[in-house]
Amino acid sequence: MNCFRLALTLLLAAGTAMAQTPASAPAGNASPTRPSATKSFDLSAIDKTADPCTDFYQYACGNWMKSNPIPSDQTRWVRSFSTVAERNRYLLWQELDAAAKDPKTPLEKQYGDFYAACMNTDLVEQKGITPLDPALKHIADLSDPHQIGQLIGELAATGAPSSLFYFGVGQDDKDSTKQIAQIAQGGLSLPDRDYYLVDNPHFAEIRKQYVDHVTKMFTLAGDTPDQAAKEAAMVMDIEIALAKASMSRTDLRNPDNTYHIFTVDDFEKLAPDFDFGVYFKDVRIRHFDSLEVATPDFFKALNGLIASMPLNSWKSYLRWHVIHGTASDLPKAFFDENFAFFGKTLAGQKEPQPRWKQCTSMTDRALGEAVGQDWVKQNFPPAAKASMDKLVAALEKALGDDIRTLPWMSDETKKAAEEKLAMFRNKIGYPEHWRSYAALRVERGDLIGNVERSSVFERDWDLDHLGKPVDEKEWGMTPPTVNAYYDPSMNDINFPAGILQPPFFDFKIDPAVNFGGIGVVIGHEMTHGFDDQGSKYDGKGNLREWQTADDRKAFTERTDCEANEYSGFEAAPAHDNVPAQNLNGKLTLGENTADNGGLRIAYMALLDTLAAEGKSIDEKIDGYTEAQRYFIGFAQVWCQNQTEQEGRQRALTDQHSPGHWRVDGTVQNFDEFGKAFGCTKSQPMYPVKSCRVW
Ligand SMILES: [Zn+2]
C-alpha cells in the first residue's frame, strides 16, 4: 500500500470507519445499549408516493429518511453502515469493558488497560495539560528556524503530534515488490486546502471562526487573550501558506502527478533549510538512498517558509499542533472547545459521542488486531467465509464476461484486462497471522502516554517495512470495520468481517437482495482495479499502461462522461450568503466508476446464479420481482440523513458521493433498472443518453 494515498474504499478512508461512523445509542453518557440488527430488505422504508422512475432514492429510502433523524451525537446516519458500525462497536465495547474489569489473558490486560485509561476522565482532569509539558517546553526552546527539522523529528520520536508532512514506507508504485520511503504534503488543520483559499463569505466566516477557536485553545493552555490572539493569527499565516503550496485532492488522486523518485541527496537539496537528515535519524528509519516524493513543490515551498516566517510564528504553529493533536484526550474544557468548532461548527454535530464510544474506537485504532482476534471468534462464523468465497467467484466471472463483451475495447486490451482480473487476490474476514503488540507498553493511568507510545509503535512498525519483501497477508483495516477496500499496488480486494453481516450479507434472504448488498460491494471493489486510478496499475500492482493508446482515449471519454454527470449533482443547497455546492465529478470519479461497475456486474452475477438454480428474475416476493428487489436492496444500503455542514465538507473532501447520488447516479446509467420498474425511456432514471465505463 502507498503510505499517503488513500486505499480505494467503499466508504470514507481506510482505517477511519470505526472512528467516524455514527452511533445509535442515546447521546450523553447514558449506558450502552445493544443496537438491534438491520433488516436486509425493508418494505417500511419505501416511500410509495414517490415514482421510482423519477427519483429512485426517494422511492427506496423516503420513509426511512423521514423516520430516522440523525442522532444527536452524529453528523451522518446511514441505514446500513451506521447501524452495523454501532452494533460492532457495542460488541467490541462489551469485550473491552469485561477486559478492563477482569482480564483473563495478557492480551486482554493490554487492551483492557488501554480502554480503562481512556475512560478515566477524573485522572484526565487531574493531570490537566501537564502530559504535554515536555513537548511544549521543547518547542519553547527553539532558537533557530533551521532546527525545525530536528525539533519535529524529536517530537515524532516521543509520539507527540508533529505536523507539516506525512512520512512512511509503502510499495514503490512502479515496482510493487519493493517497499520504499515515501513523503507527502501535510500540516493543515482544516479539512481541505479550499477552506484556506476559497474566496467567498462562507469560507471567510469559517476562517474567522477557526482563528477564534485557536485563540480559545491557546487561552485554555494558559496564554493571555491578547497573546493567544496573536499566536492564532500566526498559526493561520503558516497554514494559509502551506495550503497555497499544497496539491489539490483531485490532483493527488492521479498517481502520474505524485510519482517522483529522488535520491536522498537531491531531496535534501529541495529543502536544505529543513534538516531531513536529522529527522530521518530521529524517527529511526534504516538507511536508504532514495525515496518517493509525492509533492516536490510543497517541500520547495516549505523550505521558503522556514526562512521567511518569523521564529515566533513557527513556535506558535508547532505548539498549536501539539495541543490540537491531543485535544480530545485533554480535560473537558479542551475537549468541549475542540468539539464546538470541529464537531458543531464544521460538521453540524449536536453533541459529542459518549465517552465509551470514543474509547472503544480509540482502542480499536490502537490495538485493532489484538481486540479483533477475540471479536471474530464471537462474531464471524467460518460458514460466512465459505459463502463469501462463492460470491466473490460469481462476481469475478461476471466481471470477466463484462470485459469480454465490452463494445468499445480492443481485443488486445481486453486480454490485458482479463490478465489483471485473473491476478486479483482476495482477503476475507481477518488476517491469517495477527500482529504482535508485545512491544507496546500500556499503562492504566496514562491516557496521553498510551496514545503517544501507540503512535511511535505504529510508526516503528510501518518504517520497519523498508527494504523488506511485501507481506501479502497484511491488512489495512481492523476486523470489526464496516468497510472494504481495493489496493492497486497489491491488486487485492479486502472485506473485513465487520461488513459481512446484514443488511449487506444475509444467509437467510433471497439471492437478489444479497447481490444488491454485498454483491455490489464486491463488484465495487473489483471495479476499482479498473477505474481512472486503478486502471493505471497492472496485475502485478505496477504503475504501467496496459491499454492501447486508442483504448485509453476511449476509456477517458467514458470517464469524462461520468465526471461531468456527477459534477451536475447538488451536494448542498444555497441559502443566505452560502452558495450551493455541487459534487466534484473528478474527485469522486473513481468511486462513481466503482459504483456503476459494481451495480452492473453484481446484476450479471445474480442472473447467472438464478439461471443455475432454475429461477427467474421475474419471480415475485412481497410484491416485487427479483430484479426490483435487487435494486431496492442496493438502494437501501445507501439510505442516509446527514447534516448540511457534513454534506458541504464531504463535497470537498470525500471521494465518495452521498447516498442520494450513489443510487440515482448509478441506476440512471443502467438500462436494466428502467426495464425492471417499467419506466418510460427519457424519464429521469431511464434517460436516452447515459454514461458507461465498464
Ligand atoms: Zn470505493
Side-chain angles (χ1 to χ4, degrees):
M1 195 177 287
N2 187 298
C3 95
F4 63 90
R5 192 169 305 117
L6 299 173
L8 304 165
T9 60
L10 187 66
L11 181 91
L12 302 167
T16 58
M18 281 295 284
Q20 294 181 21
T21 22
S24 67
N29 281 323
S31 59
T33 49
R34 186 188 180 105
S36 52
T38 305
K39 273 199 251 172
S40 299
F41 187 90
D42 186 2
L43 288 168
S44 73
I46 295 173
D47 173 5
K48 291 215 166 144
T49 67
D51 180 353
C53 300
T54 306
D55 181 351
F56 183 55
Y57 177 74
Q58 177 63 33
Y59 177 81
C61 295
N63 268 6
W64 181 91
M65 287 191 287
K66 220 174 2 180
S67 45
N68 287 275
I70 309 164
S72 59
D73 67 341
Q74 311 298 329
T75 58
R76 179 165 80 145
W77 190 240
V78 188
R79 182 180 170 273
S80 55
F81 289 92
S82 307
T83 53
V84 177
E86 279 308 303
R87 209 172 135 81
N88 291 356
R89 176 156 51 191
Y90 175 83
L91 298 171
L92 198 56
W93 167 78
Q94 283 188 310
E95 192 185 313
L96 297 180
D97 187 53
K101 286 173 182 150
D102 181 20
K104 302 274 195 292
T105 64
L107 207 54
E108 286 187 20
K109 166 118 181 62
Q110 197 180 20
Y111 61 71
D113 281 350
F114 195 97
Y115 175 78
C118 176
M119 288 300 287
N120 191 345
T121 47
D122 288 345
L123 190 57
V124 169
E125 289 301 321
Q126 230 178 67
K127 289 190 178 184
I129 65 160
T130 54
L132 305 187
D133 285 349
L136 296 178
K137 175 161 188 320
H138 217 117
I139 294 166
D141 290 344
L142 182 72
S143 58
D144 176 354
H146 292 90
Q147 288 161 4
I148 288 177
Q150 181 178 353
L151 174 58
I152 289 190
E154 285 165 2
L155 291 175
T158 66
S162 52
S163 48
L164 291 175
F165 53 83
Y166 296 100
F167 177 63
V169 168
Q171 285 166 273
D172 183 333
D173 279 297
K174 291 199 177 172
D175 181 357
S176 65
T177 63
K178 289 209 174 87
Q179 305 204 75
I180 59 168
Q182 296 171 335
I183 198 161
Q185 69 190 31
L188 303 180
S189 309
L190 291 171
D192 188 81
R193 66 168 203 168
D194 279 6
Y195 282 73
Y196 297 91
L197 306 179
V198 172
D199 183 18
N200 73 27
H202 171 62
F203 285 108
E205 176 63 21
I206 288 181
R207 286 192 283 274
K208 190 182 151 295
Q209 290 167 312
Y210 172 58
V211 173
D212 287 348
H213 164 64
V214 179
T215 306
K216 281 182 200 151
M217 292 290 274
F218 277 133
T219 315
L220 288 172
D223 300 348
T224 64
D226 269 6
Q227 200 185 345
K230 275 185 205 135
E231 284 181 285
M234 292 192 270
V235 169
M236 194 56 166
D237 283 348
I238 290 193
E239 292 193 357
I240 287 177
L242 293 174
K244 283 183 183 153
S246 298
M247 198 186 275
S248 75
R249 269 173 209 273
T250 303
D251 289 341
L252 279 174
R253 284 191 65 245
N254 182 348
D256 294 328
N257 291 338
T258 55
Y259 188 77
H260 312 281
I261 297 289
F262 278 73
T263 64
V264 172
D265 287 349
D266 285 344
F267 176 61
E268 286 178 353
K269 279 180 207 146
L270 262 190
D273 292 333
F274 188 104
D275 198 339
F276 275 105
V278 176
Y279 172 83
F280 294 144
K281 257 189 216 112
D282 282 336
V283 295
R284 296 192 304 272
I285 184 165
R286 281 192 294 279
H287 174 81
F288 58 99
D289 296 315
S290 60
L291 74 169
E292 190 176 326
V293 182
T295 51
D297 290 346
F298 175 84
F299 289 99
K300 238 186 271 175
L302 172 61
N303 196 65
L305 292 176
I306 286 177
S308 65
M309 287 287 180
L311 180 67
N312 276 341
S313 296
W314 278 114
K315 286 164 113 167
S316 300
Y317 171 84
L318 293 167
R319 188 158 174 260
W320 161 245
H321 277 270
V322 167
I323 298 168
H324 170 62
T326 41
S328 52
D329 308 325
L330 289 173
K332 191 168 181 306
F334 289 87
F335 181 97
D336 287 350
E337 173 53 34
N338 183 58
F339 174 78
F341 180 72
F342 284 96
K344 219 174 229 173
T345 302
L346 282 192
Q349 187 173 334
K350 291 199 179 84
E351 288 179 49
Q353 286 185 343
R355 190 81 181 178
W356 70 268
K357 288 190 187 179
Q358 299 168 31
C359 294
T360 301
S361 296
M362 183 194 264
T363 312
D364 181 53
R365 283 195 297 277
L367 289 145
E369 290 195 17
V371 295
Q373 295 179 31
D374 295 324
W375 192 88
V376 292
K377 272 182 221 152
Q378 315 269 348
N379 300 293
F380 190 66
K385 185 171 181 320
S387 301
M388 265 302 276
D389 286 338
K390 247 173 84 182
L391 280 164
V392 170
L395 265 293
E396 274 175 356
K397 180 185 173 297
L399 179 52
D401 291 345
D402 177 62
I403 291 168
R404 277 186 292 278
T405 54
L406 268 189
W408 54 271
M409 190 180 267
S410 70
D411 288 344
E412 190 186 341
T413 302
K414 282 180 181 172
K415 201 168 149 267
E418 283 189 80
E419 276 168 19
K420 176 165 183 179
L421 174 61
M423 292 170 84
F424 267 25
R425 281 191 301 260
N426 51 65
K427 302 216 291 279
I428 293 163
Y430 54 90
E432 278 174 51
H433 309 293
W434 299 100
R435 275 177 67 181
S436 162
Y437 292 89
L440 173 60
R441 184 162 59 87
V442 173
E443 282 182 27
R444 204 172 168 95
D446 188 10
L447 166 60
I448 288 189
N450 290 343
V451 171
E452 289 179 347
R453 284 187 292 274
S454 163
S455 124
V456 173
F457 175 80
E458 287 301 318
R459 191 183 50 242
D460 286 349
W461 181 80
D462 178 53
L463 298 184
D464 186 50
H465 288 75
L466 183 80
K468 290 194 175 167
V470 173
D471 180 355
E472 292 162 5
K473 294 180 171 164
E474 270 176 12
W475 278 71
M477 285 179 182
T478 70
T481 306
V482 189
N483 208 338
Y485 69 95
Y486 169 78
D487 181 341
S489 294
M490 298 292 269
N491 194 27
D492 65 1
I493 48 177
N494 302 265
F495 305 95
I499 197 171
L500 303 176
Q501 53 186 308
F504 298 97
F505 182 44
D506 187 348
F507 293 112
K508 296 183 257 348
I509 199 105
D510 48 309
V513 177
N514 253 343
F515 277 93
I518 198 71
V520 177
V521 171
I522 299 168
H524 172 107
E525 297 308 334
M526 285 179 177
T527 308
H528 270 315
F530 300 95
D531 70 19
D532 63 313
Q533 189 180 96
S535 70
K536 297 197 164 175
Y537 295 79
D538 64 16
K540 291 184 176 148
N542 293 324
L543 191 54
R544 180 184 69 84
E545 183 59 281
W546 49 266
Q547 299 200 26
T548 64
D550 283 352
D551 286 323
R552 177 57 73 178
K553 194 165 157 272
F555 177 86
T556 307
E557 276 165 22
R558 280 161 176 78
T559 51
D560 282 351
C561 175
E562 260 178 25
N564 290 334
E565 178 186 19
Y566 280 77
S567 286
F569 296 151
E570 191 176 85
H575 66 79
D576 305 320
N577 61 359
V578 183
Q581 194 157 1
N582 277 17
L583 287 181
N584 174 346
K586 286 210 163 102
L587 176 65
T588 54
L589 179 56
E591 295 301 333
N592 297 332
T593 303
D595 281 347
N596 279 275
L599 187 69
R600 182 179 295 270
I601 64 170
Y603 189 80
M604 291 166 65
L606 170 64
L607 292 181
D608 281 352
T609 302
L610 290 176
E613 291 173 6
K615 289 182 185 151
S616 154
I617 193 88
D618 299 320
E619 208 167 289
K620 280 191 178 177
I621 304 178
D622 297 330
Y624 290 100
T625 66
E626 280 288 90
Q628 290 171 334
R629 287 173 68 84
Y630 169 79
F631 289 109
I632 293 171
F634 157 70
Q636 290 188 340
V637 164
W638 295 112
C639 300
Q640 70 172 74
N641 283 310
Q642 67 183 0
T643 64
E644 193 206 309
Q645 294 94 324
E646 178 78 6
R648 282 184 188 280
Q649 187 176 140
R650 281 180 184 276
L652 292 179
T653 59
D654 194 346
Q655 304 189 8
H656 305 83
S657 299
H660 183 173
W661 301 116
R662 292 189 86 151
V663 173
D664 283 0
T666 48
V667 299
Q668 63 186 267
N669 285 335
F670 188 32
D671 276 357
E672 296 310 314
F673 170 81
K675 290 179 200 160
F677 281 86
C679 307
T680 308
K681 208 61 192 171
S682 88
Q683 279 189 288
M685 299 293 110
Y686 195 29
V688 179
K689 269 194 178 166
S690 60
C691 302
R692 177 180 171 188
V693 182
W694 293 100

